[in-house]
Amino acid sequence: MTNTLDTDVLIVGAGPVGLTLAMDLAQRGIKVMVAEIRRYAEPPNVKCNHVSARTMEQFRRLGVAGKLRQAGLPEDYPNDVVFRTSMTGVELTRIPIPCRRDRYTETVGPDTGWPTPEPPHRINQIYLEPILLEHAAAQSGVTLLNRTQVLDISQASDGVEATLLDINTNTQRKLRARYLVGCDGGSSGVRKQMGAKLEGTAVIQRVQSTFIRTPKLRAMLPGRPAWCYYSVNPRRCGTVFAIDGHDTWLVHNHLNAEEPEFDSVDRDQSIRDILGVGPDFEYEVISKEDWVGRRLVANRFRNGNVFIAGDAAHLWVPYAGYGMNAGIADATNLAWLLAARLQGWADESMLDAYEAERQPITEQVSYFVMDHAQKMIKARRAVPPNIEAEDADGAAARALIGQEAYDLNVQQFCCAGLNFGYFYSGSPIMVTDEEQPPGYTMGGFTPSTVPGCRAPHFWLDDGRSLYDVLGAGYTLLRFDGSVDAAPLIAAAKVARLPLQVIDLQGQSAVPEAYRHKLVLCRSDQHVVWRGDQVPVQPEQLVDILRGVRRQQLKLAA
């Protein structure tokens, strides 16, 4: 490697994860190049249908949440999840979810009252990704290299050299970067070249998925429209997502264990059985989107100056929408660590925190979703043969299946636990104390300021979100103005560690979880330390936060 770099960070892949990483780094003043094999603004596949609250919190910080709220389904289109005997059949149960127009104001239902400035947003990737792309392209410091393939990478102690292929001209060139991040999907070439391997369960279920257009379907649907339709009948069980709220739909046909190939069953007949329509019903196949549900996590997320994120690092059944959203959590975690190092105030070992924090939590979430997938597979195999019968026994079967479906699935569509309950334990840049983080489930959690947890949200008396006042580095929340923070401020200044202090004494909406006078947070809203006074040797805390030391702090007497 020479000392001349073309960019600070080379990102491979311009999907939602790579674009989020680019936006976050650029906002921190880091020079970024993004290599992508597709043409600029080439439409993405119709994949992700949901942006989690935790992701929307980060998009708010990056200044793109408002744009996303205005896109996707029509503003008054219900985001409900409904279970029926077929999409056009008898309703079994319904999970009410507000339309985007009412997302901030609705108070009734299991998907309201989120402890966040940014509730979830239902939007398909075909609308999401272009907005992220436009926002990223407008950032100074971001260079998009479309129709560019990364052929190979080599490392030295001071960076990475990548061989790039211009697909249009079939010419190659070298590019030098301090760090490289593979956001290049499940078949990641970066993962393979850095020597990482996916481990876990290779196949949980195959899904025959079809993106269709049919203007006639919506008028045939009984009752209130929905964002997601589950069809439950003895012929085929499947899921249908409304994409534009008018003509386009994504149909997932969940194959059974004895149907090992995507063409094991007739696609057309399966679609008709899921929709509940006859042979004369017309629809157009836009694309086939078949996929395999897995539970795979890479055995390493970093090798020297090379990192992986998103599907390159973990693949699982996207229940609760936690496929893309987990990848975006990777990106926002890694962005601030890389920026800290490139800005010169962090030690190289601070980057160890990425794998230490993200690998265990993705492993944990992968088991959450695999467990849910297995329960759903079991439920699909247990559909009673008389569920469509027009008699008392049929009505009783529908009532039972409906209740079971609601109880099982409300937790994945209203998944406060996966959003707000997860925590980073064992991080080298956090200071643990005697209290253990509270446990959480897919649907529920206990707000906590235990280091590693997400700082519980609250609204300031002036109407701002707590998260809106957090700095780009570390923020000390001071709930008692009499506590002297000057020694910590001075130690941070000496080390060039970015630290701001926010005085919150007297705020009326502070959650009970804030029991300490001082709570130290980082820009991604995770707590890193708390106490009632500054440590006796504050420079030790600063060194831990910079990745310089990992020794236990000496607390105040």
Side-chain angles (χ1 to χ4, degrees), residues 137-159:
Q139 305 297 305
S140 60
V142 174
T143 301
L144 299 173
L145 306 174
N146 287 96
R147 299 293 288 160
T148 299
Q149 182 180 359
V150 176
L151 297 178
D152 62 66
I153 56 179
S154 60
Q155 292 200 62
S157 60
D158 60 345

Short mmCIF file of all heavy atoms in Angstrom, two decimals, residues 137-159:
data_model
loop_
_atom_site.label_atom_id
_atom_site.label_comp_id
_atom_site.label_asym_id
_atom_site.label_seq_id
_atom_site.Cartn_x
_atom_site.Cartn_y
_atom_site.Cartn_z
N ALA A 137 -26.61 10.15 -2.73
CA ALA A 137 -25.92 10.78 -3.86
C ALA A 137 -25.75 12.28 -3.66
O ALA A 137 -24.82 12.89 -4.20
CB ALA A 137 -26.68 10.50 -5.15
N ALA A 138 -26.65 12.87 -2.87
CA ALA A 138 -26.59 14.31 -2.64
C ALA A 138 -25.58 14.71 -1.56
O ALA A 138 -25.31 15.90 -1.38
CB ALA A 138 -27.98 14.84 -2.28
N GLN A 139 -25.05 13.71 -0.85
CA GLN A 139 -24.11 14.01 0.24
C GLN A 139 -22.73 14.31 -0.33
O GLN A 139 -22.22 13.56 -1.16
CB GLN A 139 -24.01 12.82 1.21
CG GLN A 139 -25.34 12.35 1.79
CD GLN A 139 -26.01 13.42 2.63
OE1 GLN A 139 -25.43 13.95 3.57
NE2 GLN A 139 -27.24 13.74 2.27
N SER A 140 -22.13 15.40 0.13
CA SER A 140 -20.75 15.66 -0.26
C SER A 140 -19.87 14.58 0.36
O SER A 140 -20.07 14.19 1.51
CB SER A 140 -20.30 17.04 0.22
OG SER A 140 -20.38 17.14 1.63
N GLY A 141 -18.93 14.10 -0.39
CA GLY A 141 -18.07 13.03 0.12
C GLY A 141 -18.47 11.64 -0.32
O GLY A 141 -17.72 10.69 -0.09
N VAL A 142 -19.65 11.49 -0.94
CA VAL A 142 -20.09 10.18 -1.43
C VAL A 142 -19.90 10.12 -2.94
O VAL A 142 -20.40 10.97 -3.68
CB VAL A 142 -21.57 9.91 -1.09
CG1 VAL A 142 -22.04 8.61 -1.75
CG2 VAL A 142 -21.77 9.82 0.42
N THR A 143 -19.19 9.11 -3.41
CA THR A 143 -19.02 8.86 -4.84
C THR A 143 -19.60 7.50 -5.17
O THR A 143 -19.21 6.49 -4.57
CB THR A 143 -17.53 8.88 -5.24
OG1 THR A 143 -16.97 10.16 -4.91
CG2 THR A 143 -17.37 8.63 -6.73
N LEU A 144 -20.55 7.47 -6.08
CA LEU A 144 -21.20 6.21 -6.49
C LEU A 144 -20.53 5.68 -7.75
O LEU A 144 -20.42 6.40 -8.75
CB LEU A 144 -22.69 6.43 -6.73
CG LEU A 144 -23.50 6.92 -5.52
CD1 LEU A 144 -24.92 7.27 -5.94
CD2 LEU A 144 -23.53 5.85 -4.43
N LEU A 145 -20.07 4.45 -7.69
CA LEU A 145 -19.43 3.79 -8.83
C LEU A 145 -20.35 2.70 -9.34
O LEU A 145 -20.27 1.54 -8.94
CB LEU A 145 -18.08 3.19 -8.41
CG LEU A 145 -17.08 4.15 -7.72
CD1 LEU A 145 -15.87 3.38 -7.23
CD2 LEU A 145 -16.67 5.26 -8.68
N ASN A 146 -21.28 3.08 -10.21
CA ASN A 146 -22.22 2.10 -10.74
C ASN A 146 -21.62 1.30 -11.87
O ASN A 146 -20.62 1.69 -12.48
CB ASN A 146 -23.50 2.80 -11.20
CG ASN A 146 -24.34 3.28 -10.03
OD1 ASN A 146 -24.25 4.44 -9.63
ND2 ASN A 146 -25.14 2.39 -9.48
N ARG A 147 -22.22 0.14 -12.11
CA ARG A 147 -21.72 -0.82 -13.10
C ARG A 147 -20.26 -1.16 -12.81
O ARG A 147 -19.43 -1.27 -13.72
CB ARG A 147 -21.89 -0.27 -14.52
CG ARG A 147 -23.33 -0.01 -14.90
CD ARG A 147 -24.12 -1.29 -15.00
NE ARG A 147 -23.75 -2.07 -16.19
CZ ARG A 147 -23.99 -3.37 -16.33
NH1 ARG A 147 -24.56 -4.05 -15.34
NH2 ARG A 147 -23.64 -4.00 -17.44
N THR A 148 -19.97 -1.31 -11.53
CA THR A 148 -18.61 -1.60 -11.08
C THR A 148 -18.62 -2.83 -10.20
O THR A 148 -19.37 -2.90 -9.22
CB THR A 148 -18.04 -0.40 -10.29
OG1 THR A 148 -18.01 0.74 -11.14
CG2 THR A 148 -16.64 -0.70 -9.79
N GLN A 149 -17.77 -3.77 -10.52
CA GLN A 149 -17.64 -5.00 -9.75
C GLN A 149 -16.28 -5.04 -9.07
O GLN A 149 -15.26 -4.71 -9.68
CB GLN A 149 -17.79 -6.22 -10.67
CG GLN A 149 -17.71 -7.56 -9.95
CD GLN A 149 -17.87 -8.74 -10.90
OE1 GLN A 149 -18.05 -8.55 -12.11
NE2 GLN A 149 -17.81 -9.94 -10.37
N VAL A 150 -16.27 -5.44 -7.80
CA VAL A 150 -15.02 -5.62 -7.07
C VAL A 150 -14.55 -7.05 -7.31
O VAL A 150 -15.19 -8.00 -6.86
CB VAL A 150 -15.20 -5.33 -5.58
CG1 VAL A 150 -13.91 -5.62 -4.82
CG2 VAL A 150 -15.63 -3.88 -5.36
N LEU A 151 -13.44 -7.19 -8.02
CA LEU A 151 -12.96 -8.52 -8.38
C LEU A 151 -12.18 -9.17 -7.26
O LEU A 151 -12.34 -10.35 -6.99
CB LEU A 151 -12.10 -8.43 -9.64
CG LEU A 151 -12.80 -7.94 -10.91
CD1 LEU A 151 -11.80 -7.87 -12.06
CD2 LEU A 151 -13.97 -8.85 -11.26
N ASP A 152 -11.28 -8.42 -6.64
CA ASP A 152 -10.49 -8.97 -5.54
C ASP A 152 -10.00 -7.85 -4.65
O ASP A 152 -10.01 -6.67 -5.04
CB ASP A 152 -9.32 -9.82 -6.05
CG ASP A 152 -8.34 -9.00 -6.89
OD1 ASP A 152 -7.69 -8.11 -6.33
OD2 ASP A 152 -8.24 -9.25 -8.10
N ILE A 153 -9.59 -8.23 -3.47
CA ILE A 153 -9.10 -7.27 -2.49
C ILE A 153 -7.83 -7.82 -1.85
O ILE A 153 -7.66 -9.04 -1.71
CB ILE A 153 -10.15 -6.97 -1.40
CG1 ILE A 153 -10.62 -8.26 -0.71
CG2 ILE A 153 -11.35 -6.24 -1.99
CD1 ILE A 153 -11.64 -8.04 0.39
N SER A 154 -6.94 -6.93 -1.50
CA SER A 154 -5.73 -7.31 -0.77
C SER A 154 -5.50 -6.28 0.32
O SER A 154 -5.83 -5.10 0.17
CB SER A 154 -4.52 -7.38 -1.71
OG SER A 154 -4.29 -6.11 -2.32
N GLN A 155 -4.93 -6.75 1.42
CA GLN A 155 -4.77 -5.90 2.59
C GLN A 155 -3.31 -5.65 2.91
O GLN A 155 -2.44 -6.49 2.69
CB GLN A 155 -5.43 -6.54 3.81
CG GLN A 155 -6.93 -6.64 3.78
CD GLN A 155 -7.50 -6.82 5.17
OE1 GLN A 155 -7.34 -5.97 6.03
NE2 GLN A 155 -8.16 -7.95 5.39
N ALA A 156 -3.09 -4.47 3.47
CA ALA A 156 -1.84 -4.14 4.14
C ALA A 156 -2.22 -3.53 5.48
O ALA A 156 -3.41 -3.34 5.77
CB ALA A 156 -1.02 -3.17 3.31
N SER A 157 -1.23 -3.22 6.30
CA SER A 157 -1.55 -2.71 7.63
C SER A 157 -2.27 -1.37 7.59
O SER A 157 -3.03 -1.03 8.49
CB SER A 157 -0.27 -2.57 8.45
OG SER A 157 0.63 -1.66 7.81
N ASP A 158 -2.04 -0.61 6.51
CA ASP A 158 -2.60 0.73 6.45
C ASP A 158 -3.78 0.85 5.49
O ASP A 158 -4.20 1.96 5.16
CB ASP A 158 -1.52 1.75 6.05
CG ASP A 158 -0.92 1.43 4.67
OD1 ASP A 158 -1.13 0.29 4.19
OD2 ASP A 158 -0.27 2.31 4.12
N GLY A 159 -4.35 -0.25 5.03
CA GLY A 159 -5.52 -0.14 4.18
C GLY A 159 -5.78 -1.34 3.31
O GLY A 159 -5.26 -2.45 3.54
#
